[in-house]
Amino acid sequence: MQWLGLFFLTISCVVFAGDNLEIEVTSDNAISIDAYPADSDTLLLYLPSGRGLGKGYVATAQQLAFDDVNVWAADLHSSYMIAKYRSSVNRFSVDDLLELIAKAEEKSFKNIFFLSSGRGAQLALKVAYQWQLKNPKSRLLKGHIFHSPHLLEGKPALGSVAQYVNIARHSNLPIYLLLSQFGTKFLRGNEIVNVLKQGGSAVFVHRLTGVSGGFHMRRKKDLSKLDIKARADLANTYQNAMQLMKSTNIPKILTTEKDLNAATKVVLSASILQQYHGKQNMPLTLKTLEGKISDINDYKNQVLLINFWASWCKPCVAEIPSLVRLQAKFKGRDFKIITINIGESKDRILKFAKKVGLSLPVLLDNDGKVTKNWGVYAYPSNFLIDRKGVIRYGYRGALQWDKRSVVDTINSLL
């Protein structure tokens, strides 16, 4: 059936959508559904991430319908007239989605699976949990398929241990995780699994080596060959996942007095170096691109900027020119920038460095141990260390590193 995936991927540039359904709910809202009907009682309900549905799902939905799996892609951003941004899923009504599931049941669907990614996974977990509480004898919901789910509580500070949202610890439905190598959740896969298992969920992990995060949503022209192949295989992947979850025992749901529908707060920080309050004295010993061992203790009595990055990370790429300029400003002084690449091959890094003019030292965190030990959950992440080896400042995200405020801060440490 793989040739069918390639066929539908090709024609998706011509056929953009399925049947348009407008499902009225009692709140006077109407939920817009891009529907791909099939002659079966199985429904895959696709809920958006904060970034929306994307267009990459169309070919996959077409093939699933051809293979007798109904697909409903719920365009909640359009339904509620809400702009697309990371935490926008917090504004969608769980009650409306519960009613949507009830209406799907009225249409004789007997097996419903959720599909989502990013923060959309939180929404799917909340809806599933509330349905089970309100319908304890129902066996309608069968499981979740999540691409790189974002289940963190808020925005973890550098050097800290992240907290996960409460709903992630109260899921009992089976969950099939798709983790792309070139995405931030790949490294934290085992951590995510352990959290989801706390509520009784059986969790299955499918690691996609060499595949970019968001490959299932993005435009075809932005995909690598491996991304395109992974997307062409998605219909088969989803069907295998659904068959696996159908045969999985579902334990009794955990009840709690905690507010599992509480929205996570994302606080945006100013584009300036932040005072650091995380753990200190983390070891750092890694190989360079040349195969030599580099240890942070080799840089005693120097001010250091430690930069965690990846070539697939757009903010990381955006800040590289200013990092190079910053190092040039301090040429001949006791200030060094050390970059740590997360999980990419030497050849890939060398090609990238040549393309963008990255001339800074690169250390290789192939297994991600240093990244995890330093409390890094987002890329890029940066730590500014004084002459005594104390981390004084940090910044989570991209920064213009050669601007006056940063230069002045570094000078104050020299």
Side-chain angles (χ1 to χ4, degrees):
M1 300 297 285
Q2 185 174 344
W3 67 270
L4 278 174
L6 292 170
F7 169 74
F8 283 117
L9 187 62
T10 301
I11 67 167
S12 65
C13 61
V14 179
V15 182
F16 287 98
D19 298 338
N20 183 42
L21 299 180
E22 293 288 330
I23 297 184
E24 302 280 345
V25 291
T26 52
S27 64
D28 290 332
N29 289 312
I31 299 178
S32 299
I33 302 291
D34 187 19
Y36 298 80
D39 188 18
S40 77
D41 60 8
T42 296
L43 173 66
L44 184 61
L45 178 58
Y46 180 21
L47 299 181
S49 71
R51 306 293 191 187
L53 297 169
K55 284 295 183 184
Y57 73 89
V58 173
T60 303
Q62 290 168 339
Q63 185 177 338
L64 284 167
F66 183 85
D67 292 336
D68 273 345
V69 176
N70 296 272
V71 179
W72 284 7
D75 188 357
L76 300 181
H77 289 89
S78 295
S79 301
Y80 293 97
M81 293 183 287
I82 292 173
K84 297 172 185 175
Y85 54 93
R86 288 181 181 177
S87 58
S88 58
V89 293
N90 294 333
R91 299 182 61 188
F92 301 143
S93 169
V94 170
D95 288 338
D96 285 356
L97 291 172
L98 290 174
E99 194 169 344
L100 177 67
I101 293 172
K103 289 183 179 295
E105 186 175 36
E106 289 173 6
K107 292 179 179 291
S108 299
F109 291 122
K110 292 183 172 57
N111 305 286
I112 296 181
F113 296 86
F114 293 92
L115 169 66
S116 197
S117 61
R119 287 176 172 82
Q122 297 182 31
L123 178 63
L125 290 171
K126 291 174 184 178
V127 173
Y129 185 84
Q130 292 300 322
W131 175 268
Q132 290 173 290
L133 284 184
K134 295 175 187 296
N135 303 275
K137 294 183 179 180
S138 173
R139 296 296 178 265
L140 181 65
L141 306 185
K142 302 299 185 185
H144 301 277
I145 301 173
F146 292 149
H147 287 267
S148 300
H150 183 95
L151 302 173
L152 296 176
E153 177 69 52
K155 190 176 179 181
L158 289 177
S160 69
V161 177
Q163 300 299 311
Y164 284 80
V165 293
N166 284 327
I167 190 62
R169 294 186 171 87
H170 289 80
S171 171
N172 67 330
L173 294 177
I175 298 171
Y176 193 93
L177 296 181
L178 288 154
L179 302 178
S180 300
Q181 181 182 0
F182 302 137
T184 58
K185 305 303 182 289
F186 189 83
L187 183 61
R188 299 285 177 178
N190 291 339
E191 191 174 308
I192 294 169
V193 168
N194 290 335
V195 171
L196 290 170
K197 282 184 174 180
Q198 291 181 28
S201 285
V203 184
F204 308 94
V205 181
H206 186 158
R207 294 183 180 272
L208 298 163
T209 304
V211 175
S212 304
F215 76 98
H216 61 296
M217 295 177 63
R218 292 191 284 148
R219 298 173 299 180
K220 185 179 178 182
K221 69 177 187 177
D222 296 327
L223 303 180
S224 69
K225 290 181 180 179
L226 284 176
D227 296 340
I228 291 171
K229 182 182 183 304
R231 194 148 93 187
D233 290 342
L234 270 182
N236 288 332
T237 300
Y238 292 165
Q239 289 183 80
N240 290 336
M242 287 186 282
Q243 287 300 321
L244 179 63
M245 290 189 286
K246 265 186 182 180
S247 63
T248 302
N249 181 55
I250 299 175
K252 186 177 179 180
I253 193 168
L254 294 178
T255 57
T256 178
E257 294 181 359
K258 294 179 180 179
D259 182 7
L260 300 187
N261 283 337
T264 60
K265 296 180 180 179
V266 180
V267 180
L268 299 177
S269 57
S271 297
I272 57 173
L273 285 170
Q274 308 287 320
Q275 291 279 346
Y276 178 80
H277 302 289
K279 59 183 178 178
Q280 298 278 357
N281 303 313
M282 294 86 78
L284 200 172
T285 304
L286 293 169
K287 285 186 178 181
T288 67
L289 285 170
E290 295 74 32
K292 297 179 181 179
I293 299 296
S294 179
D295 190 285
I296 195 169
N297 293 317
D298 298 336
Y299 298 89
K300 286 183 177 179
N301 202 36
Q302 296 187 58
V303 175
L304 300 178
L305 177 61
I306 308 295
N307 168 261
F308 288 83
W309 69 282
S311 69
W312 47 263
C313 160
K314 290 182 179 179
C316 300
V317 177
E319 73 173 3
I320 285 174
S322 68
L323 283 168
V324 173
R325 294 194 301 268
L326 178 65
Q327 185 65 83
K329 279 181 179 290
F330 286 92
K331 184 177 181 180
R333 302 182 68 187
D334 291 333
F335 171 74
K336 293 288 187 298
I337 299 175
I338 300 172
T339 76
I340 299 177
N341 178 270
I342 306 160
E344 296 183 86
S345 70
K346 177 181 174 180
D347 287 345
R348 183 181 172 98
I349 295 168
L350 287 172
K351 289 177 183 177
F352 173 79
K354 183 177 180 180
K355 180 180 178 181
V356 302
L358 174 59
S359 55
L360 301 168
V362 178
L363 305 185
L364 307 176
D365 190 16
N366 293 324
D367 58 10
K369 286 184 179 179
V370 169
T371 303
K372 287 188 280 189
N373 192 35
W374 278 61
V376 171
Y377 286 85
Y379 316 147
S381 284
N382 301 276
F383 301 80
L384 185 58
I385 305 174
D386 69 16
R387 288 180 181 273
K388 295 181 180 180
V390 177
I391 303 173
R392 299 283 297 279
Y393 298 93
Y395 194 77
R396 187 179 185 271
L399 199 61
Q400 184 183 333
W401 286 98
D402 57 343
K403 64 182 179 180
R404 175 58 66 86
S405 63
V406 174
V407 172
D408 288 347
T409 300
I410 295 170
N411 273 320
S412 73
L413 300 178
L414 287 169

